């Protein structure tokens, strides 16, 4: 999984994250729940089927990075990163609704904290939540364990609070910067590490046609497709989804969630 480079947006998110000290203090109980882990979390929980999936008691899940769809060999997973955003997330939600598609939204903690109404809208529409850290630091794998823990657990607490109590079911490292520590920590908290197979390159805004072509050309790589609903003008993403989702249906694909 290639890292995403050249995102001036990251600096703005990181700056916003500096202001979450009070939130970090308020989530010390959550952090304490992480507890020790031994690398033996290999059992997956049952597949939640409701919008409230993830609420309640934490059950450890597998530590390996998942790509597979719970819809089997013909399934695809639509994943949406970096939001929620007050301009683009509602538009993405509408396109998904129009096509009867459920997706996984990988949310940045500060964005979720700033827009709890959108987090709740995502959950109410039957989509799933994913922890994408507090500050979207793509150098996570170069940082101390204590830093990784704070980024992951504080974001999970922020997203859970914003959602009204629904926990994220997955953890996606920014830019794919996973570490053994971060994977085990997330899995111990019931968040399956989530990768991707198809990077639509929508973040680079190459044009709607280019985004659609990338998805079509790379779908053979695997079922999990990466899009974005924040970090700048996402109009090309919205337009691409309007084309891609019906095309996937025409190919006999079914839409699901990453396995847990």
């Amino acid at each position: 999984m290639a890292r995403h480079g050249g995102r001036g947006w990251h600096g703005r998110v990181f700056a916003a994250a500096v202001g979450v000290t009070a939130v970090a203090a308020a989530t010390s109980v959550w952090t304490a729940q992480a507890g020790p882990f031994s690398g033996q979390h290999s059992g997956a929980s049952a597949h939640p089927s409701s919008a409230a999936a993830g609420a309640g008691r934490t059950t450890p899940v597998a530590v390996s990075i998942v790509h597979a769809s719970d819809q089997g060999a013909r399934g695809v997973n639509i994943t949406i990163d970096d939001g929620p955003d007050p301009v683009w997330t509602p538009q993405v939600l509408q396109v998904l609704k129009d096509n009867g598609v459920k997706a996984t939204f990988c949310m940045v903690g500060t964005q979720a904290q700033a827009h709890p109404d959108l987090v709740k809208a995502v959950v109410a529409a039957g989509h799933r939540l994913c922890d994408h850290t507090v500050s979207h630091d793509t150098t996570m794998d170069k940082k101390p364990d204590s830093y990784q823990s704070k980024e992951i657990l504080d974001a999970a607490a922020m997203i859970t609070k914003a959602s009204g109590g629904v926990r994220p079911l997955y953890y996606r490292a920014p830019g794919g910067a996973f570490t053994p520590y971060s994977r085990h920590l997330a899995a111990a908290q019931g968040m399956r590490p989530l990768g991707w197979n198809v990077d639509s390159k929508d973040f680079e805004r190459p044009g709607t046609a280019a985004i659609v072509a990338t998805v079509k050309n790379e779908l053979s790589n695997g079922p999990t497709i990466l899009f974005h609903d924040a970090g700048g003008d996402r109009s090309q993403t919205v337009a691409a989804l309007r084309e891609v989702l019906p095309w996937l249906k025409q190919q006999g694909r079914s839409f699901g969630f990453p396995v847990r």
Side-chain angles (χ1 to χ4, degrees):
M1 294 180 290
R3 293 174 188 256
H4 297 284
R7 296 189 186 179
W9 139 260
H10 292 165
R12 295 194 295 276
V13 172
F14 186 79
V18 173
V20 304
T21 303
V23 173
T27 59
S28 59
V29 173
W30 175 280
T31 304
Q33 290 175 348
F37 47 83
S38 63
Q40 300 301 315
H41 305 293
S42 57
S45 64
H47 300 312
S49 59
S50 70
R57 186 174 64 87
T58 298
T59 301
V61 294
V63 302
S64 57
I65 298 172
V66 66
H67 300 86
S69 173
D70 63 7
Q71 293 299 301
R74 299 297 293 171
V76 291
N77 306 319
I78 303 298
T79 64
I80 314 290
D81 281 20
D82 293 2
D85 179 274
V87 174
W88 304 111
T89 302
Q91 295 186 45
V92 169
L93 284 172
Q94 187 61 53
V95 175
L96 293 170
K97 180 180 179 180
D98 291 345
N99 287 275
V101 172
K102 304 304 181 187
T104 300
F105 283 76
C106 299
M107 296 185 174
V108 173
T110 50
Q111 294 293 108
Q113 184 182 53
H115 307 291
D117 55 328
L118 293 178
V119 182
K120 291 180 176 68
V122 166
V123 172
H127 306 292
R128 289 188 181 177
L129 302 176
C130 171
D131 180 333
H132 206 33
T133 74
V134 172
S135 59
H136 201 287
D137 183 354
T138 58
T139 65
M140 282 275 289
D141 55 343
K142 309 298 183 185
K143 300 296 177 63
D145 291 352
S146 58
Y147 176 89
Q148 296 178 52
S149 176
K150 185 174 178 61
E151 282 284 314
I152 296 167
L153 297 178
D154 285 0
M158 295 161 82
I159 294 166
T160 302
K161 181 178 180 180
S163 73
V166 179
R167 297 170 180 260
L169 294 180
Y170 309 92
Y171 164 64
R172 174 173 276 168
F178 289 100
T179 66
Y181 177 87
S182 69
R183 290 190 294 106
H184 281 87
L185 177 64
Q189 291 294 305
M191 298 184 292
R192 183 74 186 266
L194 175 59
W196 65 85
N197 305 105
V198 180
D199 183 350
S200 70
K201 302 294 196 301
D202 65 330
F203 201 93
E204 300 173 5
R205 297 197 292 273
T208 298
I211 296 170
V212 172
T214 296
V215 173
K216 291 181 177 180
N217 293 336
E218 296 187 8
L219 186 59
S220 60
N221 292 344
T224 301
I225 309 173
L226 171 63
F227 295 97
H228 298 82
D229 64 342
D233 185 337
R234 300 272 72 88
S235 58
Q236 293 179 11
T237 300
V238 174
L241 283 168
R242 288 198 185 101
E243 293 187 38
V244 165
L245 299 182
W247 177 82
L248 287 168
K249 289 183 180 180
Q250 292 168 6
Q251 306 308 302
R253 298 285 186 158
S254 56
F255 297 91
F257 295 110
V259 299
R260 295 246 305 144

